[in-house]
């Protein structure tokens, strides 16, 4: 059995239709790779949130033609599944994203639950900030700290790299 | 009032609401990016149903997956059900190994004032 492998890599444009296809392809690949249904569900859930985040964000920098494309990847090693996404974002989004990530990474399981419920109730008032709830959900489902970086592209935008790890059940 | 029937797709759930029996069911996967758009007719139907709801209306939630965009709309659905003054409940189904789904149901039940019943499959 191969212990380190790429399950799926996609680079290019992310539309709603493409996002859907990538998701279904990844699900099929996972189907015969992972026997543990709980792990499979966690990976699938995180993929959905990551892909939909990319889809939302790439819209915002669409005028930046060169950086219209994004990357999405799933890999596994002996211990973890890794779900990695990379996409261009406007620099103006970075401070609020960093603030959100710091907050999420400072919380334990119970703290994340409280934050999730709070955001769920308050998001009823404003439709904005949907991505915020997605990140909290990813942190909860994965049970790991969120890993991220911002690589400057130019004075307007940066490449946002985001990685989630999901522990595999050791048989 | 007519029943509401929406067929499942690869990223949206099957919806079957019967106003004559009060049996309301949402099942499958709910992953639409535009959750607000998908659920608009569902919320509209429920708003019309709530004032004339059947005694013992039961909303069965049999979801395999739902995204965070859907979770906000699910809360909107519960908020409408909550306003039904007659006897009502939510039946939350989850795979017996799926702790995340069980916990999601428990969290919704802590936010809204509706009796929740849990069933595993």
């Amino acid at each position: 059995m191969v212990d380190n492998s790429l399950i799926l890599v996609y680079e290019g444009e992310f539309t709603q239709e493409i996002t859907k296809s990538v998701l279904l392809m990844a699900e099929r690949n996972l189907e015969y790779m992972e026997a543990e249904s709980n792990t499979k569900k966690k990976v699938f859930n995180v993929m959905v949130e990551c892909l939909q985040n990319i889809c939302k964000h790439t819209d915002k920098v669409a005028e930046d033609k060169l950086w219209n494309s994004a990357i999405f990847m799933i890999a596994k090693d002996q211990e973890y599944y890794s779900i990695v996404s990379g996409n261009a974002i406007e620099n103006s989004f970075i401070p609020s994203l960093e603030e959100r990530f710091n907050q999420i990474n400072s919380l334990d399981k119970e703290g994340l639950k409280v934050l999730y419920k709070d955001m769920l109730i308050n998001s009823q008032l404003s439709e904005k900030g949907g991505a915020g709830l997605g990140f909290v959900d990813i942190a909860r489902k994965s049970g790991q700290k969120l890993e991220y970086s911002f690589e400057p592209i130019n004075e307007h935008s940066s490449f946002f790299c985001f990685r989630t790890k999901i522990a595999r059940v050791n048989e | 009032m007519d029943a509401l029937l929406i067929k499942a797709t690869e990223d949206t759930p099957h919806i079957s609401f019967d106003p004559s029996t009060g049996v309301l069911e949402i099942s499958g996967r709910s992953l639409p990016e535009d959750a607000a758009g998908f659920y608009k007719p569902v919320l509209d139907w429920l708003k019309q149903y709530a004032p004339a709801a059947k005694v013992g209306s039961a909303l069965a939630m049999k979801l395999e997956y739902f995204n965070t965009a859907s979770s906000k709309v699910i809360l909107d659905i519960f908020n409408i059900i909550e306003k039904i003054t007659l006897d009502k409940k939510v039946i939350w189904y989850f795979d017996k190994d799926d702790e995340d789904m069980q916990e999601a149901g428990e969290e919704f039940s802590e936010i809204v004032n509706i009796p929740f019943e849990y069933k595993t499959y």
Side-chain angles (χ1 to χ4, degrees), chain B residues 35-50:
Chain B
F38 172 77
Y39 281 101
K40 171 92 173 47
V42 178
L43 293 171
D44 288 345
W45 192 96
L46 282 170
K47 278 176 201 154
Q48 213 191 324
Y49 172 75

Side-chain angles (χ1 to χ4, degrees), chain A residues 18-157:
Chain A
I18 291 170
T19 301
K20 224 187 273 183
S21 313
V22 171
L23 196 61
L24 293 174
M25 240 186 299
E27 189 185 17
R28 261 202 305 273
N29 292 355
L30 267 177
E31 202 58 51
Y32 40 73
M33 247 177 222
E34 179 59 53
E36 219 281 307
S37 82
N38 220 4
T39 309
K40 212 155 41 186
K41 281 191 172 157
K42 282 179 187 291
V43 173
F44 188 78
N45 269 306
V46 171
M47 283 191 315
V48 171
E49 297 302 327
C50 283
L51 285 167
Q52 296 189 343
N53 268 347
I54 297 175
C55 218
K56 256 181 278 177
H57 282 288
T58 42
D59 282 351
K60 288 172 186 158
V61 280
E63 73 273 15
D64 214 341
K65 289 280 183 273
L66 187 64
W67 289 95
N68 201 9
S69 83
I71 187 161
F72 177 78
M73 185 179 95
I74 312 169
K76 68 165 185 173
D77 60 24
Q78 280 173 300
E79 284 176 88
Y80 295 102
Y81 279 95
S82 287
I83 297 132
V84 182
S85 65
N87 58 285
I89 60 163
E90 273 176 35
N91 286 338
S92 60
F93 291 121
I94 294 177
S96 63
L97 272 174
E98 273 192 311
E99 196 186 319
R100 178 65 74 202
F101 291 146
N102 286 334
Q103 181 191 23
I104 291 171
N105 282 345
S106 73
L107 295 169
D108 61 3
K109 197 168 184 269
E110 198 51 37
L112 285 170
K113 178 186 164 149
V114 172
L115 177 63
Y116 184 87
K117 274 169 72 176
D118 192 48
M119 286 175 77
L120 184 60
I121 295 164
N122 291 317
S123 68
Q124 297 290 294
L125 301 170
S126 76
E127 273 311 301
K128 261 197 111 228
L133 193 61
F135 288 127
V136 182
D137 188 53
I138 289 170
R140 296 186 69 194
K141 297 259 160 69
S142 71
Q144 308 282 332
K145 298 293 174 200
L146 305 178
E147 296 174 29
Y148 60 94
S149 66
F150 301 100
E151 301 296 332
I153 298 168
N154 55 37
E155 67 269 39
H156 306 297
S157 48

Side-chain angles (χ1 to χ4, degrees), chain B residues 9-104:
Chain B
T9 69
E10 56 202 16
D11 65 349
T12 56
H14 173 80
I15 291 176
S16 158
F17 289 176
D18 186 344
S20 65
T21 59
V23 175
L24 317 170
E25 191 180 301
I26 300 180
S27 59
R29 32 178 73 184
S30 182
L31 310 166
E33 282 200 66
D34 179 18
F38 172 77
Y39 281 101
K40 171 92 173 47
V42 178
L43 293 171
D44 288 345
W45 192 96
L46 282 170
K47 278 176 201 154
Q48 213 191 324
Y49 172 75
K54 286 272 163 196
V55 178
S57 289
L59 172 63
M61 300 292 292
K62 298 182 181 173
L63 292 173
E64 183 196 1
Y65 293 113
F66 66 88
N67 60 356
T68 52
S70 296
S71 65
K72 295 182 207 171
V73 190
I74 292 171
L75 186 54
D76 288 336
I77 290 174
F78 290 158
N79 282 332
I80 298 172
I81 300 285
E82 192 178 28
K83 292 197 182 80
I84 297 176
T85 49
L86 302 166
D87 186 33
K88 76 268 177 176
K89 67 179 171 188
V90 167
I91 310 169
W92 187 270
Y93 289 81
F94 59 93
D95 180 331
K96 61 180 183 350
D97 297 322
D98 191 348
E99 277 176 31
D100 290 331
M101 192 54 85
Q102 180 182 0
E103 215 175 312

